[in-house]
Amino acid sequence: MRLLIADKLHPRAVEELSALPVEVIYEPELTKESLEQRIASAGVLVVRSTPVTATALDNAKTLHLIVRAGAEYQSIDVRAASRRGIYVANCPGKNAAAVAELVMGLLVAIDRRIVDSVTSLREGQWRRAEYSKAEGLYGKTIGIVGMGAVGREVAHRAKAFGLTVMGYSRSLSAVRAAELGILHATSLDELASKSHVVSLHLPINERTRHIVGKRFLAALPPRAILINAARADLVDQAALREAVATRGLRVGLDVYSDEPRGKDEYATDIFGPYDGENAGFVYGTPHIAAATDQAQLAVATETVRVIRSFLLEGHVPNVVNVTTSIANFQVVIRMQDKIGTFANVLSVLKRHGINVEEVTNSVFEGGGASCAKLRVVSRPSEMCLQEIRAFDEVLHVDVVTLPNLA
């Protein structure tokens, strides 16, 4: 089997992958178009930012697994992969600490205007009176939108700064918030109205696109701070510019809706001049939140774990496109471990129109007998069970109703 690595990956991971029973092809400069050609002979594909299109997957006749060396996987056509029975896995939470560190760095930098202060000193100016006008963070409230791995890491660090943490997400309950030692916001409006600082940590989808708009920004207190190191389209950019200009909003960004691809130049008007003591302003970094050596090594190590498990154990950790079985019944069959016995059982189920969702088969010590457990959607008829029992090699058949039916 061939493993194609189509993006940069930590050298240690490439070395470990080379020790597995797979031919490693390392081509980190592949583009969306060139990948569509190179993918044809790959059995496993590793990507970071390189898009995996439906066209590429149509050419991937031997592909079994795609691993996204990171958390998000919007750059992969998951539906097309699912149609072809190709596993898609990711590496969630492995860069959470790195992102949280940048969030806190932006927060402190904004409050203390560190960037402006450094620039002033480099220009030979000593403007102590101006740059000593910081508000301070201790005792203020930070609202975290999205309490996944990154949100929890931000919460942990924010507490160390003496900030009160309030969290909001669709899945966060009051009980879970209490377990995390944070306040629970019942709505985005509540979080915005009670937070001096807001940090965004959501994936981008149709539900979350522009979740931060005029209404949310208007609910923030004056001179609030907004940090976005997640996805640019979580924020309505026009509303953001207006809030900076009219409400003194201070902003820290690591993501942008018009990021250049493969270029070193970037022209934007989001970084306007600072216009006075109560003016808003924007600080930014060029999409580097997850780009620490520690994070890249952690992601690479998880990538190796996923591929090793798939190759050596037949199991795919972190798979994102395998649904939970809708089976209502489990057929338990104890039988002699002989060639063709299991095949005969499956042929009977097929003839009676029984759809098998999942199969496990355990062979007992000595190899004389095995026990198969087949999760099925509909209950086999008594006639179907009698046909299975009629095989000399079948020792016992039973049907168990699964709990999800109740």
Side-chain angles (χ1 to χ4, degrees), residues 14-15 42 57 63 68 82 86 111 120 140 213 247 264 289 294 302 304 348 352 356 373 396:
V14 178
E15 181 180 348
L57 293 171
L63 190 63
R68 162 70 167 93
S82 297
I86 299 169
D111 181 63
S120 176
K140 292 188 173 182
R247 304 196 72 250
D264 293 331
Q294 292 175 339
E302 181 69 356
V304 172
V348 172
H352 284 265
V356 179
K373 297 177 181 179
H396 180 75

Side-chain angles (χ1 to χ4, degrees), residues 36 39-42 45 52 54-64 66 84 86:
E36 292 175 354
I39 201 173
S41 62
L45 172 67
V52 184
T55 300
L57 293 171
D58 286 341
N59 295 333
K61 306 302 181 183
T62 62
L63 190 63
H64 301 284
I66 303 170
R84 297 192 61 84
I86 299 169

Side-chain angles (χ1 to χ4, degrees), residues 319-333:
V319 64
V320 301
N321 63 333
V322 173
T323 60
T324 303
S325 172
I326 61 172
N328 295 320
F329 303 92
Q330 182 167 265
V331 182
V332 181
I333 307 169

Side-chain angles (χ1 to χ4, degrees), residues 93-391:
K94 298 304 176 181
N95 55 18
V99 177
E101 288 169 359
L102 184 68
V103 168
M104 299 309 296
L106 284 170
L107 178 55
V108 174
I110 289 169
D111 181 63
R112 305 303 293 266
R113 288 185 59 201
I114 291 175
V115 175
D116 298 324
S117 180
V118 171
T119 300
S120 176
L121 284 170
R122 285 177 174 172
E123 293 174 348
Q125 302 177 35
W126 183 266
R127 300 168 64 183
R128 185 174 184 274
E130 178 176 351
Y131 296 122
S132 62
K133 298 175 183 178
E135 295 179 11
L137 300 174
Y138 183 81
K140 292 188 173 182
T141 297
I142 180 172
I144 302 175
V145 183
M147 290 303 300
V150 178
R152 294 193 299 272
E153 290 288 346
V154 172
H156 177 68
R157 286 157 178 77
K159 291 177 186 178
F161 276 74
L163 287 157
T164 298
V165 180
M166 174 176 287
Y168 172 82
S169 72
R170 287 166 59 91
S171 60
L172 182 67
S173 65
V175 173
R176 178 56 177 156
E179 291 173 348
L180 294 172
I182 66 175
L183 302 177
H184 176 238
T186 58
S187 68
L188 282 171
D189 288 345
E190 179 187 2
L191 180 136
S193 66
K194 295 181 177 179
S195 298
H196 304 94
V197 179
V198 171
S199 190
L200 306 178
H201 301 288
L202 292 172
I204 189 67
N205 52 49
E206 291 309 310
R207 190 179 65 250
T208 62
R209 191 177 305 277
H210 289 186
I211 197 170
V212 173
K214 284 187 176 182
R215 175 173 170 172
F216 183 95
L217 295 171
L220 291 171
R223 299 278 296 162
I225 297 174
L226 176 70
I227 308 290
N228 185 10
R231 291 291 179 266
D233 287 342
L234 294 172
V235 181
D236 182 328
Q237 299 301 309
L240 180 67
R241 285 179 170 86
E242 181 181 348
V244 171
T246 64
R247 304 196 72 250
L249 182 69
R250 296 172 290 171
V251 182
L253 299 177
D254 184 56
V255 289
Y256 311 87
S257 57
D258 56 349
E259 293 182 14
R261 302 296 180 184
K263 299 179 181 179
D264 293 331
E265 299 82 20
Y266 179 55
T268 180
D269 61 354
I270 192 68
F271 300 104
Y274 180 72
D275 294 325
E277 184 174 342
N278 295 314
F281 60 89
V282 179
Y283 277 2
T285 48
H287 204 150
I288 59 169
T292 66
D293 289 344
Q294 292 175 339
Q296 296 308 309
L297 179 56
V299 169
T301 300
E302 181 69 356
T303 299
V304 172
R305 185 182 78 89
V306 171
I307 295 172
R308 178 184 286 117
S309 178
F310 169 71
L311 292 175
L312 303 183
E313 302 172 15
H315 169 65
V316 182
N318 308 334
V319 64
V320 301
N321 63 333
V322 173
T323 60
T324 303
S325 172
I326 61 172
N328 295 320
F329 303 92
Q330 182 167 265
V331 182
V332 181
I333 307 169
R334 290 188 289 112
M335 53 192 165
Q336 295 176 4
D337 187 31
K338 293 184 178 181
I339 296 174
T341 304
F342 203 0
N344 289 336
V345 170
L346 293 174
S347 67
V348 172
L349 293 172
K350 178 182 177 181
R351 190 162 59 250
H352 284 265
I354 304 298
N355 185 40
V356 179
E357 291 280 319
E358 296 179 8
V359 177
T360 59
N361 188 45
S362 303
V363 178
F364 290 94
E365 185 178 0
S370 66
C371 180
K373 297 177 181 179
L374 295 79
R375 291 187 169 230
V376 298
V377 175
S378 56
R379 184 184 182 93
S381 66
E382 189 58 35
M383 181 179 295
C384 175
L385 297 176
Q386 287 296 343
E387 287 188 36
I388 295 174
R389 293 185 182 109
F391 294 119

Side-chain angles (χ1 to χ4, degrees), residues 7 32 35 45 47-54 56-57 66-78 88 204 231 261:
D7 273 293
K32 178 180 73 173
L35 176 62
L45 172 67
V47 291
R48 290 177 60 194
S49 58
T50 303
V52 184
T53 64
L57 293 171
I66 303 170
V67 181
R68 162 70 167 93
E72 301 296 333
Y73 46 89
Q74 284 86 354
S75 59
I76 301 170
D77 193 327
V78 177
V88 177
I204 189 67
R231 291 291 179 266
R261 302 296 180 184

